[in-house]
Amino acid sequence: MREALDHWDFVIAAYAIGVGALGLLIAWSWQAMRRAERRRDETKRQRTQR
């Protein structure tokens, strides 16, 4: 009997890591965008109060 490595386990793991990393990148980018919008709004409010 000969044991053969099944490459599909590695393919699925690579896709899972890629999708997970993409999800983290999207979440991080979204949070950074929200922070930047909040800072922009704060700056606009401070300029209009002067």
Side-chain angles (χ1 to χ4, degrees):
M1 185 164 124
R2 180 174 178 254
E3 284 190 40
L5 292 177
D6 187 17
H7 68 280
W8 284 109
D9 293 335
F10 298 104
V11 172
I12 291 169
Y15 273 106
I17 291 169
V19 169
L22 180 62
L24 288 173
L25 180 64
I26 289 170
W28 177 68
S29 298
W30 183 74
Q31 288 292 336
M33 179 188 65
R34 299 291 293 164
R35 280 192 306 268
E37 288 175 345
R38 210 173 304 126
R39 281 188 310 229
R40 181 198 61 201
D41 292 341
E42 287 288 325
T43 303
K44 278 186 176 179
R45 247 184 267 128
Q46 288 175 358
R47 286 183 181 177
T48 57
Q49 290 177 356
R50 290 183 185 179

